[in-house]
Amino acid sequence: MLVSDRLKRLLKLVPGARRFGFYRFLPFFFVLGGAMEWFMINVRIGEETFYDVYRRKRSERLYEARMEKGE
């Protein structure tokens, strides 16, 4: 219960409760989404970023589909 009470108190500190209700937290989610996107594009783990892996897998799937068609 102690953690729950602290969390409630912390959430009440965010302004705009009467006017925006639950939607007052949307800016935090936008910032979090932007930070995740930036991380996935710019931060290399090993030698690849998330999008390098995505593009490679996509091209592999397209190549396999072409080979199945017989092109």
Side-chain angles (χ1 to χ4, degrees):
M1 281 308 228
L2 185 62
V3 174
S4 175
D5 293 335
R6 285 183 182 175
L7 184 62
K8 284 180 187 178
R9 220 176 324 142
L10 181 66
L11 291 177
K12 285 182 182 181
L13 291 176
V14 177
R18 264 191 2 194
R19 177 173 284 179
F20 301 116
F22 180 74
Y23 297 105
R24 70 185 189 257
F25 300 108
L26 274 178
F28 298 116
F29 293 116
F30 281 114
V31 169
L32 179 64
M36 284 176 48
E37 191 74 20
W38 181 89
F39 184 85
M40 289 170 28
I41 292 170
N42 294 313
V43 175
R44 291 192 175 277
I45 298 175
E47 294 185 10
E48 295 181 313
T49 65
F50 172 81
Y51 284 111
D52 292 338
V53 174
Y54 172 77
R55 283 189 300 247
R56 188 183 72 241
K57 292 289 184 181
R58 183 175 165 210
S59 66
E60 288 173 359
R61 284 188 216 110
L62 289 173
Y63 176 76
E64 289 173 5
R66 285 184 189 158
M67 288 297 116
E68 288 177 1
K69 283 184 174 180
E71 288 183 4

